[in-house]
Amino acid sequence: MSALTFALLATDGAARRGRLTTGHGVIETPVFMPVGTLATVKSLTPGDLEQAGAAVILGNTYHLMLRPGHELIRELGGLHRFMSWPRAILTDSGGFQVFSLAKLRTVTEEGVRFRSPVNGDLHLLSPEGAIEIQHALGADIIHPLDECLAYPAGREATERSLALTLRWARRSLQAHHAREGSARPALFGIVQGGSHVDLRARAVEETVALGFDGYAIGGMAVGEPKPEMLTLTEGVAARLPRDRPRYLMGVGKPEDLVECVARGVDMFDCVLPTRNARNGQAFTSQGPLSIKQARYTRDPAPLDAGCACETCRTFSRAYLRHLFMAGELLAYRLLSLHNVHFFVGLMAAMRQAISERAFEPFRTRFFSRYAVSSAEVLPDVAADHIPRTEA
């Protein structure tokens, strides 16, 4: 039996308010999951994350298998104990990293052979191996190995890839169910299918037929136009079971979160809060701002007047700009702390709006205030999926 249960508490249009119960606590949905690639959300402590309201974080199967190794983490009591995080952990399949980071890789029915970017060692990541690694990590929610294609991908290549992902999904389920123990982590199926609407529909039908604990929408935010991502996400979410959680992998910017909650998605992850913080970008209720800009040199205001995080309660934009321009490490921590707080708080506001059946007025208010000016966008760091080893 899975140690996860899901209850749908309220709806407003397609937007859903739910509750996931795991062996490491309750997760209120819709939820944003900060990314802890290598067993850490960069520059933040577990206490920081709890104070920000994070109920679940994401760990990366690919990176943790390479460094420090899943067997070491298992030996030391699992990922929760290893990183001193008491709440839920979701691990991804490793598929996206294999295909985006491994320069030398060979895909076969068996799995993917690739050379480690850490030390050059040759590895095989198979569907069964991915399940074994995630069980060793002790995550609450895990995923089967899948193939994530770059955009654009032709129909023939997408059909081949989808068929392989579905075969791997069956093998992953078999390996997962063969594990001993009264309570297993929840296993989410991943819906691929590229940018082809009919292949996405087929992927939903065949993945759901296998019977997973929840469903992830994969292969988005890999270069496709935003309207296409929203259309595909809406179509997939509408076909997924009402009584299972829905997770959109690797998305996204605050405006993406609002639009995809409106389309029926429950769970999100993205590296933007911490990655963009390290490049000087803060997300605010008025839109993103780049603290590097000279306009903030003498600005005594907080990053966001309506924010209750420690950064905004304590420090001015002028001070944060000084730290960043001086290369002081505290700048990265304070901006990351604020950004995570902003993303988590945005989800809490959406949960309340759905419960009050007032999501559309909330959505309207959000977009009336939240603006992205060309002067504030960081083109080098704003993409949702950038193939780097660190988030």
Side-chain angles (χ1 to χ4, degrees), residues 266 311 365:
D266 304 310
T311 302
R365 287 195 305 274

Side-chain angles (χ1 to χ4, degrees), residues 83-320:
M83 65 181 296
S84 296
W85 172 247
R87 308 204 68 179
I89 296 175
L90 175 148
T91 48
D92 60 13
S93 71
F96 175 79
Q97 285 72 29
V98 167
F99 294 100
S100 64
L101 293 177
K103 294 181 180 178
L104 297 175
R105 62 179 182 268
T106 303
V107 182
T108 66
E109 195 68 34
E110 185 181 13
V112 187
R113 293 190 183 276
F114 65 95
R115 290 205 174 271
S116 166
V118 176
N119 58 16
D121 286 352
L122 186 63
H123 292 271
L124 169 68
L125 186 62
S126 67
E128 294 80 8
I131 294 297
E132 163 64 22
I133 291 165
Q134 292 174 89
H135 275 266
L137 296 175
D140 299 278
I141 302 170
I142 68 177
H143 291 82
L145 182 65
D146 65 320
E147 184 176 22
C148 181
L149 294 180
Y151 180 90
R155 183 178 183 86
E156 184 177 346
T158 305
E159 285 183 314
R160 285 197 306 268
S161 176
L162 174 57
L164 181 64
T165 289
L166 289 167
R167 292 194 297 274
W168 283 355
R170 295 184 188 97
R171 288 168 54 188
S172 298
L173 266 173
Q174 185 176 7
H176 179 62
H177 290 150
R179 305 285 303 182
E180 295 182 357
S182 58
R184 289 186 294 265
L187 179 62
F188 283 18
I190 302 179
V191 176
Q192 290 288 352
S195 58
H196 305 274
V197 173
D198 61 324
L199 295 183
R200 286 280 178 176
R202 183 198 305 175
V204 172
E205 181 180 357
E206 296 191 29
T207 305
V208 170
L210 295 175
F212 288 93
D213 299 305
Y215 296 92
I217 306 171
M220 299 294 190
V222 291
E224 76 280 3
K226 184 66 65 67
E228 186 172 307
M229 185 272 283
L230 294 175
T231 298
L232 290 168
T233 297
E234 182 174 13
V236 170
R239 290 178 168 88
L240 289 172
R242 178 181 171 86
D243 63 346
R244 302 294 170 92
R246 305 165 180 173
Y247 163 35
L248 181 56
M249 306 180 87
V251 174
K253 302 179 181 71
E255 61 269 30
D256 299 335
L257 304 183
V258 175
E259 290 292 8
C260 292
V261 166
R263 288 160 171 79
V265 175
D266 304 310
M267 305 171 68
F268 304 86
D269 81 280
C270 192
V271 299
L272 290 184
T274 50
R275 177 179 289 164
N276 285 24
R278 298 194 306 277
N279 286 274
Q281 189 175 66
F283 294 91
T284 79
S285 58
Q286 306 296 317
L289 64 83
S290 174
I291 202 66
K292 294 180 287 188
Q293 292 196 341
R295 72 173 84 176
Y296 303 120
T297 302
R298 292 177 172 80
D299 192 338
L303 286 173
D304 193 335
C307 180
C309 78
E310 180 184 358
T311 302
C312 289
R313 292 196 317 268
T314 312
F315 302 105
S316 68
R317 294 175 177 180
Y319 180 67
L320 294 170

